[in-house]
Amino acid sequence: MQGSENGDGKPNATISRSAFMGGLGTAGALLATGCNTPQATTAAASRNSAAAVVSGDARKIAQARGLMPADVAAALKTYVPSGKTDDYYMFASGGHSGQVLVIGVPSMRLLKVIPVFTPESYGGWGYSSGSRDVLKAGAVDGTVITHGDTHHPTFSETGGDYDGRFFFINDKVNARVAVIDLRDFECKQIVKNPLTLSNHGVCVTPNSEYVVESSHYGMPVGWKTSDVTKEAYRKRFRGSQTYWKFDAAKGRIDPERSFAVELPPYWQDILDAGKLGSNGWTFTNSIDTELAVPEDWHGGPAMEVGASQHDMDFLHLLNWKLAERLVQSGGVSKVNGLAYIPLEQAVKEGVLYLVPEPKSPHGVDVTPDGKYVVVSGKLDPHVSIYGFTKIQQAIAKGHLRRDSYGVPIVAFEDALVAQVKVGLGPLHTQFGGDGHAYTSLFLDSAVARWTLGDDSGKGWNLLETLPVQYNVGHLAAPHGDTVHPRGGYVVALNKWSLDRFLPVGPFYPRNLQLIDNTGEKMQVLYDMPIGMAEPHYAQIIDTKLLKPIDVYPKNTDVFTMAADPKAPVFGKEGTFDRGDHIVVEMSMMRSEFRPDVVRVKRGSRVVWRLNNVETAKNAIHGFALSKYNISLSLEPGKVEAIEFVADEPGVYPYYCTDFCSALHLEMMGYLVVA
Amino acid sequence: MSHISGVQSAQSPLALRASGSRALLIAAVLLAVSLVLPWWHMTMYAPQYPAGLSASAGVFSIHGDVTEINELNHYIGFMPLEHVAPIERRAGIVLGPLIVLLALAAAFLGGPWRLLATPAVVLPVFTVADLAGWLWYAGNHLDPHAALSTSVAPWTPHMLGPGGVGQFHTFAMFDPGFALAVAAAVLVVSALRRRHRPAVGQR
């Protein structure tokens, strides 16, 4: 009950009865009108007695539940009645669950868990042949990885705004990037970065030409073995930024047309793409310009100290359009199959510049007009605003000093437009539909709201801060990192929840807090517990931009989104001996499998194709086979396949795992291995 | 003169003027249009199907949510909709256009040839009778081995207006195709009732 507390978290016991009643009166009026047309208002006025009855009931309910007026207002702003739907989708990373969460805003209802890097039995992810192929494509040195640490989600964009077509998410643990198709909210591709083993940020260029992945920990290129010493780190370890070419027509990343730029091993982490006037550049921050390594600080454990010695680290500016021209001209070699612009070449060609940024930065965000880059050093209480034009002028002027790798450095004062003292531990900035900027304050556990100014340095002012609970990381606002932010919400992605929810043991839920930013003062409206890994970052998109299909066309292979030529044909199902393997062709419908007995010889390699021939919305069938570790989900129209060796004689039941009909329990069959 | 105009009529159908024959021509056109329109439909509503499921029948086809309705019907042993009136629908592919052509011939040939339009009157009458027969047959010949055969007693689905089975409420109604066919039949009957009218061009 956020509204019942004041800023210091103590219950506000001094709230007056008249304020309480006033709040309820507003609630009653809202309930009575529902819209603000003159007719509706008149009608509401003539139904005063009805409104009084409603507010009377509401008051009793509120009193019984100990709700304050602010709580009632929050409930009215977030409640989405049964049968109504939300205004926005929020796509949140699933942290080290390796998945993606889809959440409705403002109700904060969980709509879907999209399996990505981690096998997920409910969706058959990692069990079906098609999904196993996707996971295999993300293998590291032949090892299929069955987990992930999803960090930075990003929607595809057209003209610098979300277009609702695709969604990308990275895996920090193994430097991988996944593509999710928003026609069916399913993962279609995982690519493995051949240069490094850890990444952090992902962004897209304004027309989704590239999905850009920044490396995180400094690594020997291709993770070749090396001792970890200061000397070795400086010589052999590097960072990189990879520009994965996205082919929107195919809905796939094309590694052949992708490229990477080598960077100093400064621990690049988060990045953002320029937009409008700054289109053509990406901006990436870094943490470890000290080139600290573990064991380096008086015997360690040292990274947190060693990497925090400099007052300034470096924002990296990369001219990706220039780099693209270099690659297309053929003047670039390949490393591990990926076009690669070495550091020296990047410097020589003017692809890479640095700007000092306050200590150990984390967030870097380009303003909606594309004119400014906002960075926040997490160990500095300011957000620093750089002017893109100022940076370009400084580059044009030349005479730049260089770092130890020879990379030219634009002086801090030549880039800086303004600084806003927002509070302790500023991390990430989003832009609201109200034209203001919002920055998370990790150490203060708060959200700062501040105004955007101009090149003169004026107009950049802190408006207010709102406590959130607790340890806020990223913020998400509807279209909050695009050229067109909108909506009246900001979501704080809090890493800790402490006292916010019923206790569920030592593993605490994470707390996504919905904030109303339409008024003069921000207000926390709702706490959404996430009972698993920490959603690191989220993006929020207008529902009108998404038109997901509700039933696949018949015989759909979801990895080509086209008819599968090998789809089992209804009426021609059966078990067929193909010499070196057995093919099972199966149809699924309420409430039967055809065939419902499958007989194979011991040792047979079985290729089992399944087709949900349903055409009705929601008529999903699952398929689980005992002993052989198989679980599938077949939505109507979908075709899937599984492969296994029937190595043990026995009788194994299979059945529908998705409650499909009144006779769902009868939807079963037997695999007989003899 | 009458000879000449008779020749003109035979050579130039556009010279068609007799009101009875004009009515036959209009009837033929209406019937032709009706062949491509639905004649009858039934919509079913249940809690799980708030938008309803609908199937419609024309002279030679069945359209709509046929797959899903069959899916549900199989639980009570109701025959698949494709198995309803298969001969009639196949024959309709030939007979429908043929009846239109006969009505056209009646319009242009006139005289006793006007009787060629008679099948256009029979068609809607037969359709209603056939539909009633199939509704009775299908509803009263449920597969006794179906999973829910003991849950639903045989019944005759209503051809018109509200009805119901299980958790479904149904509503059946004739469609524009049927209305056009009835209009065509009325026009044919009225044309045939005009006695002593000269054939086209014989005035």
Side-chain angles (χ1 to χ4, degrees):
Chain A
M1 283 179 279
Q2 183 57 33
S4 64
E5 297 186 349
N6 53 26
D8 60 7
K10 290 177 184 163
N12 187 341
T14 60
I15 190 159
S16 71
R17 182 175 168 78
S18 63
F20 179 76
M21 293 302 289
L24 290 176
T26 308
L30 278 169
L31 285 169
T33 58
C35 62
N36 58 4
T37 60
Q39 295 88 335
T41 309
T42 311
S46 68
R47 289 198 306 268
N48 272 345
S49 56
V53 170
V54 171
S55 71
D57 288 343
R59 189 185 63 174
K60 282 180 188 166
I61 295 165
Q63 279 177 335
R65 300 195 64 217
L67 301 177
M68 294 294 150
D71 301 325
V72 176
L76 287 173
K77 286 174 181 173
T78 56
Y79 179 61
V80 178
S82 179
K84 305 277 186 191
T85 54
D86 282 297
D87 300 327
Y88 297 96
Y89 287 105
M90 175 161 65
F91 280 59
S93 77
H96 52 286
S97 75
Q99 318 296 41
V100 166
L101 310 178
V102 185
I103 296 160
V105 174
S107 74
M108 304 300 278
R109 296 184 292 198
L110 178 65
L111 302 173
K112 183 169 184 179
V113 176
I114 303 175
V116 184
F117 294 107
T118 307
E120 177 65 74
S121 61
Y122 96 78
W125 188 251
Y127 300 85
S128 67
S129 297
S131 62
R132 288 168 73 98
D133 287 346
V134 172
L135 289 175
K136 270 185 208 163
V140 179
D141 297 334
T143 301
V144 177
I145 307 294
T146 55
H147 71 113
D149 184 12
T150 53
H151 259 228
H152 286 91
T154 182
F155 285 110
S156 59
E157 292 183 7
T158 300
D161 199 0
Y162 306 154
D163 58 20
R165 299 182 67 195
F166 299 95
F167 184 75
F168 310 98
I169 185 90
N170 68 309
D171 162 35
K172 180 178 164 177
V173 197
N174 282 290
R176 300 180 296 167
V177 176
V179 180
I180 291 167
D181 190 330
L182 295 180
R183 283 176 293 179
D184 62 352
F185 287 48
E186 296 287 347
C187 177
K188 305 294 176 177
Q189 183 186 24
I190 294 174
V191 291
K192 168 76 197 92
N193 193 310
L195 305 173
T196 187
L197 281 179
S198 77
N199 65 20
H200 196 111
V202 165
C203 71
V204 291
T205 52
N207 290 297
S208 304
E209 298 95 336
Y210 293 96
V211 183
V212 192
E213 175 194 14
S214 62
S215 66
H216 190 107
Y217 303 120
M219 290 288 294
V221 177
W223 55 99
K224 287 177 192 154
T225 190
S226 166
D227 194 7
V228 182
T229 63
K230 206 160 177 77
E231 177 75 10
Y233 190 80
R234 180 178 164 67
K235 275 190 181 169
R236 285 193 284 277
F237 285 54
R238 289 291 179 271
S240 62
Q241 190 144 299
T242 302
Y243 293 79
W244 293 106
K245 180 68 187 170
F246 185 62
D247 185 336
K250 290 181 181 165
R252 296 290 188 275
I253 284 169
D254 181 358
E256 287 298 316
R257 291 193 287 153
S258 305
F259 65 90
V261 180
E262 183 182 82
L263 301 176
Y266 290 158
W267 285 28
Q268 293 76 25
D269 61 350
I270 293 188
L271 73 169
D272 198 7
K275 50 184 86 118
L276 301 174
S278 54
N279 184 14
W281 291 74
T282 51
F283 307 94
T284 313
N285 61 27
S286 61
I287 299 168
D288 185 21
T289 54
E290 295 86 349
L291 300 176
V293 294
E295 295 183 341
D296 176 39
W297 192 258
H298 306 302
M303 285 310 301
E304 67 171 11
V305 183
S308 305
Q309 295 303 301
H310 291 174
D311 283 339
M312 290 289 200
D313 288 295
F314 286 129
L315 177 71
H316 295 53
L317 319 173
L318 281 96
N319 185 337
W320 66 262
K321 285 205 171 171
L322 183 56
E324 181 186 51
R325 283 197 293 275
L326 268 178
V327 172
Q328 287 171 348
S329 70
V332 166
S333 58
K334 285 199 168 186
V335 170
N336 294 348
L338 187 66
Y340 189 75
I341 303 175
L343 196 46
E344 198 178 328
Q345 187 180 15
V347 170
K348 187 179 150 203
E349 301 286 352
V351 169
L352 176 63
Y353 296 89
L354 304 172
V355 184
E357 54 181 345
K359 193 164 186 166
S360 298
H362 199 42
V364 50
D365 302 279
V366 179
T367 52
D369 60 12
K371 291 181 177 173
Y372 306 101
V373 183
V374 178
V375 302
S376 33
K378 58 183 185 272
L379 302 182
D380 179 277
H382 299 91
V383 288
S384 300
I385 296 107
Y386 300 141
F388 180 73
T389 308
K390 286 190 80 173
I391 291 170
Q392 293 303 314
Q393 285 168 347
I395 290 173
K397 213 164 127 191
H399 306 296
L400 302 176
R401 69 185 179 92
R402 292 174 186 267
D403 76 342
S404 61
Y405 291 91
V407 185
I409 303 168
V410 174
F412 179 62
E413 54 276 14
D414 289 343
L416 190 72
V417 169
Q419 283 191 306
V420 183
K421 191 171 183 181
V422 288
L424 296 181
L427 292 184
H428 305 286
T429 298
Q430 288 274 288
F431 303 95
D434 57 354
H436 296 325
Y438 295 82
T439 300
S440 56
L441 305 172
F442 180 80
L443 299 176
D444 277 345
S445 270
V447 174
R449 182 193 220 182
W450 50 278
T451 58
L452 300 174
D454 59 28
D455 282 345
S456 70
K458 290 180 181 160
W460 307 89
N461 299 311
L462 177 68
L463 290 175
E464 59 165 332
T465 54
L466 173 76
V468 290
Q469 289 74 35
Y470 301 90
N471 287 1
V472 59
H474 272 271
L475 301 177
H479 295 241
D481 65 341
T482 72
V483 297
H484 184 203
R486 55 196 81 170
Y489 306 105
V490 174
V491 174
L493 286 80
N494 301 308
K495 296 164 192 303
W496 286 15
S497 62
L498 294 177
D499 53 4
R500 296 289 114 174
F501 305 112
L502 281 176
V504 289
F507 188 97
Y508 276 62
R510 323 299 164 140
N511 187 13
L512 303 195
Q513 281 185 306
L514 181 69
I515 296 166
D516 176 4
N517 67 343
T518 55
E520 229 170 80
K521 293 285 177 191
M522 293 183 281
Q523 182 197 358
V524 172
L525 297 177
Y526 193 79
D527 289 13
M528 179 195 185
I530 300 290
M532 52 174 242
E534 171 222 331
H536 196 83
Y537 176 43
Q539 290 194 338
I540 301 176
I541 188 170
D542 192 333
T543 52
K544 288 193 282 295
L545 291 170
L546 272 71
K547 300 273 181 289
I549 54 176
D550 50 14
V551 172
Y552 287 114
K554 282 183 179 179
N555 303 327
T556 297
D557 173 345
V558 296
F559 296 102
T560 61
M561 292 300 267
D564 182 348
K566 292 181 175 175
V569 177
F570 183 65
K572 295 184 179 175
E573 304 88 349
T575 307
F576 307 97
D577 191 343
R578 295 278 187 263
D580 62 342
H581 67 284
I582 300 289
V583 171
V584 181
E585 304 216 339
M586 172 174 275
S587 294
M588 307 162 80
M589 73 215 77
R590 281 160 287 167
S591 312
E592 59 180 307
F593 294 103
R594 294 185 188 182
D596 54 4
V597 178
V598 172
R599 297 178 178 86
V600 301
K601 282 184 192 162
R602 178 187 186 181
S604 302
R605 186 165 69 85
V606 180
V607 177
W608 194 314
R609 295 198 187 95
L610 304 96
N611 189 352
N612 181 345
V613 298
E614 302 272 9
T615 56
K617 285 196 278 190
N618 228 143
I620 304 164
H621 295 297
F623 176 84
L625 174 60
S626 304
K627 196 268 181 197
Y628 286 97
N629 195 32
I630 285 163
S631 173
L632 298 176
S633 172
L634 286 100
E635 299 81 51
K638 184 180 183 182
V639 174
E640 290 256 57
I642 45 174
E643 284 191 45
F644 61 95
V645 175
D647 49 5
E648 285 288 333
V651 176
Y652 307 98
Y654 52 84
Y655 71 95
C656 174
T657 45
D658 212 302
F659 203 107
C660 58
S661 67
L663 297 170
H664 159 74
L665 294 176
E666 288 81 350
M667 187 168 171
M668 65 81 66
Y670 290 105
L671 166 68
V672 178
V673 182
Chain B
M1 185 65 196
S2 66
H3 172 71
I4 291 169
S5 56
V7 169
Q8 280 177 340
S9 163
Q11 290 177 340
S12 170
L14 294 176
L16 179 117
R17 282 192 304 273
S19 64
S21 298
R22 237 182 355 242
L24 289 178
L25 179 65
I26 295 168
V29 171
L30 293 178
L31 196 57
V33 174
S34 83
L35 294 182
V36 295
L37 292 175
W39 281 43
W40 178 84
H41 77 274
M42 178 179 277
T43 305
M44 311 160 61
Y45 300 93
Q48 305 85 334
Y49 298 91
L53 293 169
S54 190
S56 63
V59 172
F60 27 73
S61 59
I62 296 174
H63 290 289
D65 304 309
V66 175
T67 308
E68 186 62 11
I69 291 171
N70 284 344
E71 178 84 59
L72 298 167
N73 280 346
H74 96 275
Y75 285 117
I76 59 169
F78 195 98
M79 63 170 56
L81 298 187
E82 305 89 291
H83 294 187
V84 172
I87 295 170
E88 294 90 320
R89 280 185 285 113
R90 216 167 301 148
I93 296 169
V94 177
L95 291 180
L98 183 64
I99 293 170
V100 171
L101 289 174
L102 288 173
L104 276 177
F108 290 113
L109 297 177
W113 295 105
R114 290 189 299 165
L115 289 172
L116 288 175
T118 309
V121 179
V122 176
L123 183 61
V125 176
F126 172 79
T127 301
V128 169
D130 194 49
L131 180 61
W134 275 106
L135 287 171
W136 170 84
Y137 180 83
N140 288 280
H141 292 81
L142 303 177
D143 179 353
H145 301 296
L148 300 180
S149 58
T150 53
S151 307
V152 176
W155 91 111
T156 303
H158 293 179
M159 194 194 307
L160 266 181
V165 57
Q167 78 270 40
F168 281 89
H169 298 284
T170 63
F171 190 84
M173 185 49 68
F174 286 104
D175 283 333
F178 181 75
L180 292 184
V182 169
V186 169
L187 284 172
V188 170
V189 169
S190 69
L192 294 181
R193 282 171 61 88
R194 291 165 197 251
R195 291 184 182 176
H196 311 301
R197 298 289 302 186
V200 173
Q202 288 182 350
R203 283 175 297 169

